[in-house]
Amino acid sequence: MIRVQLKDGSMKEIEEGKLIIELAKELSPSLAKKCCVAKLDEVLVDLKTPILKDSKLEFVLLEDKEAFEVLNHSCAHLLAQAMKRLYPETCFGVGPAIEEGFYYDFAVSSPVALEDLPKIEAEMKKIVKENISVQHYILSKQDAKEKFKADKFKCELIDAVDDDKVGIYEQGDYADVCRGPHVISTGMLKNFKLLNVSGAYWRGDSKNEMLTRIYGTCFATSEQLEQHLHNLEERKKRDHRKLGKELGLFMISEYGPGLPFWLPKGYQLRRTLEDFWLDLHKRRGYLSINTPIMLNRELWETSGHWDHYKEDMFTIEVEDGTYAIKPMNCPGAILVYKNDLHSYKELPLRYSELGNVHRYEASGALNGLFRVRGFTQDDAHILLREDQVGEEVGRILSLYDYVYSIFGLDYSIELSTRPEDNYIGAIEVWDEAEAALKKACLATGHEFKINPGDGAFYGPKLDFKLRDSMNRIWQCGTVQLDMQLPGRFNCTYIAEDGSKKTPVMIHRACFGSLERFIGIITENYAGAFPTWLAPVQVKLIPVSEKHKVYCQRLNEIFEEHQIRFENDFRDEKLGYKIREAQTQKIPYTLVIGDKEIETAAVTYRPYGKQEQITLSIDEFVNKIEEHNKNKN
């Protein structure tokens, strides 16, 4: 007999080799039905896995967060099985789970389009009803290649496996090379939906064959699936590219793919965001700087960017050598630091910069403001002593808490650690930096999870994952602890004992990229920006020609109080102009008629509401100023 410790701490004696699903049924038949997979000694495994030694066991239920990836990976196999039945000559690429679902890549003899998805879904539903048992077994690479000899993609994947054996998952007439884990049978995959079809190069290389990629999603319950599909429809309405055009925020020209043009209203939105950022950093002790957009190759070689980043850099040849348009602001900040001698008493020195950077992105990856070639990083580079790291990271986390709360964005933190390769510096220095970030998070009450191997090439980092109103996750803020670059540039400060010491540096960005952040909040607010941020805060609509003079008087008052406004003096019907102001999502629409002139007042209609409220001019001005002050 062997002993199994369950999640609640209780112990269970079982026969060696008992399957996890058998134990679940013994404990509770209803538990067995709710299980998706299990954690055996902290490793996710199939329910048909035998328990061979004393172990810790935790059942992962269908509604648990960790089950979502398993459901979707299993549903990718379900899709592949349906494709094998409908298109027998299909060759199969890869079918991973992704953040909100799954995809599978296929080489098919005839094109597959959106209108084919219902037919494929119908076949998938048949397989679900068949409730086919999912089996897992191991083959040698040689036997696996023999099994999949008709599929060149699977044979290539088998060749790429480091081990001499590969895992196989099989369900009825379909088998795949896979590490798993998977659900116990196809009957558990009832709540799925195929979403889209696109092209994708095999293994992401444009030199390879173009495959058909089918996207889908799968949930534990029909209610969760319906909610997700509703969210997807809502996202289409909120698409920042669509809203950007409708609201006159930005454009992208064929003469500069990935290089946004800010239109008047979008530029006003951007400037308001920049002014907020600059004022906040001034009050938090940062010194604003601006560094050149293009610098000599030697600088980038010293920093390490040339070796680690040159494929993503734009370069130009000039008379004194190769120059690179900066993909990062950090080397420029280091040169600013080196411009003067520094004492330990000055540290931390906090340099903030809204720096314009450029990175080469493949044209197929460009996406509105989310993925561009030219963008503005809201950077800060802090030079400090090692003993100041904990307190300074705490200050940064406090700043981030404040900023994200302004925009109603919750976040989680990931600690990204040293990459397996492509890094600079000694491992012990990395270990020290990672420990410092962990300690700083814990000391300030911030939880985090580890993201192994995803650190920057010069140091570990805290990545901030923001959650918007549509329940999407965005990577925005970062705090990177760098114990490498200051030394590479011979940065020093005079220590208390008179010796020269090398500072450490924190790289940090809160928005990440102004362009991307504006895209995120445009969708988060569905274009209806809060009053303090709205490009136009007030729209004035006179009832008739004779009311224009009063509107012009209000213009002067609003200008004096820095209230952003527009007049609508067009010869159109009043109802049409009011509806259009609502379409433009302007926070306050003022309709000016005889009553307003007689009482020296304004009557406003808030965006999205039918009510009309009359206030004195002073009261209305105070109302807008309160919005601006309180950032709402």
Side-chain angles (χ1 to χ4, degrees):
M1 301 291 284
I2 57 176
R3 289 164 59 83
V4 175
Q5 182 179 344
L6 301 177
K7 185 180 180 180
D8 62 5
S10 63
M11 303 296 294
K12 180 79 174 175
E13 284 198 349
I14 63 170
E15 304 89 357
E16 180 181 340
K18 182 182 284 290
L19 302 184
I20 293 174
I21 186 63
E22 293 173 345
L23 176 57
K25 288 177 179 177
E26 285 182 12
L27 294 171
S28 167
S30 62
L31 170 66
K33 290 180 180 179
K34 295 176 183 178
C35 281
C36 177
V37 285
K39 275 186 178 179
L40 189 62
D41 292 328
E42 302 301 323
V43 177
L44 276 179
V45 295
D46 301 310
L47 293 177
K48 292 180 183 176
T49 301
I51 307 173
L52 301 175
K53 61 182 180 63
D54 291 352
S55 305
K56 290 183 179 180
L57 179 66
E58 179 181 341
F59 296 104
V60 177
L61 306 183
L62 286 166
E63 64 263 25
D64 290 341
K65 186 177 180 180
E66 289 170 304
F68 183 77
E69 182 176 341
V70 176
L71 283 171
N72 279 276
H73 194 180
S74 299
C75 205
H77 283 211
L78 175 66
L79 165 61
Q81 185 174 10
M83 290 293 291
K84 181 177 176 64
R85 291 184 178 184
L86 295 171
Y87 305 89
E89 301 304 314
T90 297
C91 285
F92 299 85
V94 293
I98 54 178
E99 185 175 342
E100 293 188 321
F102 64 88
Y103 68 77
Y104 211 117
D105 292 341
F106 306 99
V108 287
S109 55
S110 56
V112 176
L114 278 174
E115 51 266 29
D116 296 312
L117 296 188
K119 175 181 69 174
I120 300 170
E121 283 183 342
E123 189 63 35
M124 292 171 70
K125 289 176 181 176
K126 288 181 184 178
I127 299 170
V128 170
K129 286 185 179 179
E130 292 170 22
N131 196 25
I132 302 169
S133 177
V134 177
Q135 305 296 328
H136 177 230
Y137 54 91
I138 304 295
L139 290 179
S140 69
K141 289 177 74 169
Q142 182 178 348
D143 288 344
K145 288 188 70 171
E146 177 64 26
K147 181 177 181 65
F148 293 97
K149 62 184 178 181
D151 192 324
K152 59 183 180 181
F153 302 118
K154 290 301 174 189
C155 288
E156 187 174 330
L157 291 173
I158 292 167
D159 283 334
V161 174
D162 291 334
D163 200 350
D164 59 357
K165 297 182 182 297
V166 294
I168 309 294
Y169 277 85
E170 191 165 285
Q171 51 198 58
D173 55 356
Y174 173 75
D176 208 338
V177 179
C178 187
R179 289 177 296 183
H182 285 280
V183 297
I184 199 167
S185 73
T186 61
M188 300 179 72
L189 305 172
K190 298 175 183 177
N191 306 299
F192 69 86
K193 181 69 178 175
L194 298 184
L195 301 171
N196 202 3
V197 179
S198 69
Y201 292 110
W202 168 236
R203 310 199 87 167
D205 189 336
S206 59
K207 297 177 184 177
N208 291 338
E209 183 177 345
M210 175 67 79
L211 306 181
T212 297
R213 175 170 292 180
I214 299 178
Y215 288 91
T217 191
C218 183
F219 284 85
T221 68
S222 58
E223 292 79 10
Q224 290 173 331
L225 176 61
E226 288 303 315
Q227 182 61 52
H228 180 69
L229 297 178
H230 170 77
N231 288 347
L232 292 180
E233 288 302 313
E234 186 66 22
R235 288 179 196 176
K236 291 178 184 177
K237 300 175 189 175
R238 293 171 178 242
D239 189 314
H240 77 283
R241 294 165 299 183
K242 173 177 176 287
L243 289 171
K245 184 175 182 179
E246 292 173 354
L247 302 179
L249 301 180
F250 72 95
M251 58 168 274
I252 295 177
S253 167
E254 61 185 10
Y255 294 106
L259 301 169
F261 288 66
W262 292 101
L263 303 177
K265 290 181 181 178
Y267 187 61
Q268 178 60 66
L269 170 66
R270 177 191 170 111
R271 282 303 307 270
T272 303
L273 202 58
E274 288 177 345
D275 289 344
F276 163 71
W277 189 92
L278 288 165
D279 178 66
L280 177 63
H281 282 74
K282 182 179 179 180
R283 288 188 280 112
R284 297 267 180 150
Y286 288 79
L287 304 172
S288 293
I289 62 172
N290 184 260
T291 61
I293 195 170
M294 184 170 64
L295 292 163
N296 191 283
R297 168 178 170 168
E298 291 181 12
L299 175 80
W300 305 109
E301 288 176 336
T302 302
S303 71
H305 288 92
W306 190 260
D307 290 336
H308 297 268
Y309 222 81
K310 64 184 175 185
E311 299 302 321
D312 296 313
M313 297 168 72
F314 293 98
T315 59
I316 185 172
E317 296 296 327
V318 296
E319 61 183 2
D320 60 339
T322 302
Y323 277 64
I325 300 175
K326 64 178 178 180
M328 310 280 189
N329 295 306
C330 35
I334 286 179
L335 295 184
V336 170
Y337 179 84
K338 281 177 64 69
N339 188 56
D340 288 307
L341 296 175
H342 300 285
S343 161
Y344 73 95
K345 295 179 180 179
E346 297 175 71
L347 305 183
L349 260 176
R350 306 180 183 96
Y351 298 120
S352 62
E353 179 177 15
L354 292 170
N356 195 7
V357 300
H358 290 75
R359 299 176 188 175
Y360 174 72
E361 297 280 359
S363 58
L366 300 176
N367 177 13
L369 298 177
F370 289 160
R371 185 63 67 89
V372 292
R373 288 175 173 164
F375 58 96
T376 304
Q377 279 191 320
D378 67 314
D379 256 336
H381 295 93
I382 304 163
L383 283 298
L384 67 167
R385 307 189 310 265
E386 286 188 36
D387 63 293
Q388 296 174 315
V389 168
E391 182 180 353
E392 191 63 25
V393 172
R395 287 172 58 92
I396 293 170
L397 293 175
S398 172
L399 184 147
Y400 285 16
D401 283 340
Y402 173 71
V403 171
Y404 296 148
S405 70
I406 292 292
F407 299 94
L409 297 167
D410 296 325
Y411 70 83
S412 59
I413 300 175
E414 290 185 358
L415 171 57
S416 297
T417 59
R418 176 175 51 83
E420 290 188 13
D421 48 25
N422 198 31
Y423 67 89
I424 59 176
I427 291 178
E428 55 268 23
V429 175
W430 275 84
D431 291 343
E432 183 183 346
E434 289 171 9
L437 287 180
K438 289 178 184 178
K439 184 177 180 181
C441 275
L442 295 173
T444 54
H446 289 81
E447 296 182 356
F448 62 91
K449 68 176 184 178
I450 302 294
N451 182 16
D454 201 37
F457 72 86
Y458 47 75
K461 57 180 180 170
L462 300 175
D463 289 326
F464 292 75
K465 308 288 187 176
L466 306 188
R467 185 179 297 276
D468 69 9
S469 61
M470 296 301 296
N471 207 35
R472 290 172 298 183
I473 303 296
W474 303 96
Q475 163 65 57
C476 289
T478 186
V479 178
Q480 304 174 359
L481 181 54
D482 182 356
M483 295 181 170
Q484 315 291 342
L485 292 190
R488 290 170 77 95
F489 281 91
N490 297 315
C491 294
T492 61
Y493 67 90
I494 306 302
E496 192 170 2
D497 62 3
S499 64
K500 285 187 176 182
K501 291 192 175 180
T502 302
V504 296
M505 183 163 74
I506 294 175
H507 311 239
R508 49 118 298 212
C510 185
F511 297 145
S513 147
L514 253 67
E515 286 74 8
R516 189 161 184 257
F517 193 77
I518 289 173
I520 291 169
I521 62 175
T522 298
E523 296 192 2
N524 189 50
Y525 293 127
F529 298 103
T531 303
W532 78 274
L533 193 56
V536 178
Q537 297 172 310
V538 179
K539 186 78 164 231
L540 294 99
I541 303 177
V543 173
S544 67
E545 190 75 20
K546 67 180 182 179
H547 303 114
K548 285 184 181 179
V549 174
Y550 187 72
C551 287
Q552 290 164 347
R553 177 189 162 196
L554 290 173
N555 290 175
E556 294 173 0
I557 295 171
F558 292 167
E559 284 176 351
E560 180 184 349
H561 291 274
Q562 298 184 332
I563 294 172
R564 302 185 290 276
F565 66 90
E566 280 184 349
N567 297 303
D568 191 341
F569 290 163
R570 295 175 300 165
D571 187 19
E572 297 284 355
K573 291 182 178 179
L574 181 62
Y576 174 82
K577 292 196 280 188
I578 292 173
R579 285 193 299 274
E580 189 174 83
Q582 293 288 299
T583 300
Q584 288 293 300
K585 305 178 187 290
I586 296 171
Y588 291 99
T589 301
L590 306 189
V591 178
I592 305 301
D594 292 339
K595 182 182 72 172
E596 286 70 37
I597 295 174
E598 291 169 4
T599 60
V602 296
T603 298
Y604 70 85
R605 176 179 173 178
Y607 168 73
K609 297 181 180 179
Q610 297 296 324
E611 62 180 318
Q612 296 186 44
I613 301 169
T614 300
L615 294 177
S616 70
I617 295 173
D618 286 345
E619 287 174 326
F620 183 74
V621 167
N622 289 339
K623 185 177 185 65
I624 302 299
E625 289 184 331
E626 282 296 311
H627 282 303
N628 292 339
K629 177 183 176 182
N630 296 325
K631 301 293 181 287
N632 57 27

